[in-house]
Amino acid sequence: KPIKLINPLSNEMQYVRNSLLPGLLRAVSFNQRRGKDFIKFFEIGNITFFDKKSYSSASQLKELMVVWLGDTIKHWKNPIKQDIYSIKGEVKSMLNMLNICNISFKVNENIIDILVNKNKIGIIKLIDKKIMNTYNISGNIFICSINIDLLNTYYSRGNITYNKIYSYPSIE
């Protein structure tokens, strides 16, 4: 349920953001109208939702949302088909790079729950055609939504290594 502001700056900003999806879909629509047929965007932000238990009747959480548009990734050797299961593989790879352990997935038709230690931290799903028509988008759109606040409880900072990228190339 959206939360209405008492004193909004404008009529377009009457409600506090309760989803990252509309902004990402506007960006996808903008780019698709300019000829982009394969798009991958992400946003990290706070979303607010109605919560009876809270003093202010509202709670906030940090969310990561990734959006994919396109059924085929152009590759020099062979085109790569993209579906909900290839996206599941990308999400698992990302979580592995963050040293998140005990990742599992629960498949329910067009929705895949992302679980860490059997606790749901997010979903992967195909966007409904009705929503896509609202934004004048053609093709399939998949989204992955992850609750970062929950993800941080499973994050292990100790084992990540990196190589520094220097600003200037070496002279030999």
Side-chain angles (χ1 to χ4, degrees):
K1 181 179 175 181
I3 298 171
K4 190 171 184 175
L5 296 172
I6 295 170
N7 190 15
L9 294 173
S10 71
N11 286 338
E12 294 173 355
M13 301 170 114
Q14 292 183 37
Y15 297 96
V16 179
R17 180 164 70 167
N18 65 353
S19 175
L20 301 177
L21 186 60
L24 286 168
L25 290 178
R26 280 192 296 275
V28 167
S29 176
F30 177 86
N31 282 275
Q32 190 179 46
R33 286 192 310 264
R34 281 149 185 81
K36 305 295 182 197
D37 54 355
F38 180 77
I39 299 169
K40 188 188 308 185
F41 287 137
F42 78 94
E43 182 176 356
I44 297 173
N46 292 324
I47 61 169
T48 307
F49 57 94
F50 183 72
D51 184 5
K52 289 181 182 178
K53 298 175 188 172
S54 172
Y55 171 75
S56 65
S57 298
S59 288
Q60 198 174 62
L61 62 90
K62 191 169 285 293
E63 183 179 49
L64 162 68
M65 186 169 283
V66 185
V67 176
W68 290 261
L69 169 72
D71 297 329
T72 306
I73 302 168
K74 293 179 183 173
H75 188 269
W76 65 273
K77 192 172 183 182
N78 293 318
I80 302 168
K81 295 289 182 189
Q82 179 169 268
D83 62 6
I84 198 164
Y85 298 104
S86 62
I87 290 168
K88 177 185 144 233
E90 281 189 47
V91 170
K92 185 171 184 178
S93 178
M94 176 190 70
L95 293 172
N96 285 333
M97 283 190 260
L98 292 171
N99 290 333
I100 305 294
C101 301
N102 300 321
I103 305 162
S104 60
F105 298 91
K106 183 179 176 189
V107 179
N108 303 315
E109 294 183 29
N110 285 333
I111 297 176
I112 298 176
D113 292 334
I114 305 166
L115 308 167
V116 176
N117 291 338
K118 298 183 182 179
N119 295 316
K120 183 177 172 181
I121 63 160
I123 61 165
I124 302 168
K125 72 177 188 175
L126 178 67
I127 294 292
D128 185 59
K129 295 290 183 191
K130 185 177 175 183
I131 294 171
M132 290 174 38
N133 290 338
T134 304
Y135 291 90
N136 297 320
I137 299 171
S138 59
N140 288 331
I141 292 187
F142 298 95
I143 65 157
C144 171
S145 174
I146 295 177
N147 181 333
I148 292 181
D149 295 328
L150 287 175
L151 182 66
N152 279 337
T153 62
Y154 302 106
Y155 179 65
S156 170
R157 298 178 200 275
N159 299 327
I160 296 178
T161 59
Y162 68 95
N163 294 324
K164 184 175 181 178
I165 299 173
Y166 294 98
S167 302
Y168 304 101
S170 63
I171 299 174
E172 296 179 21

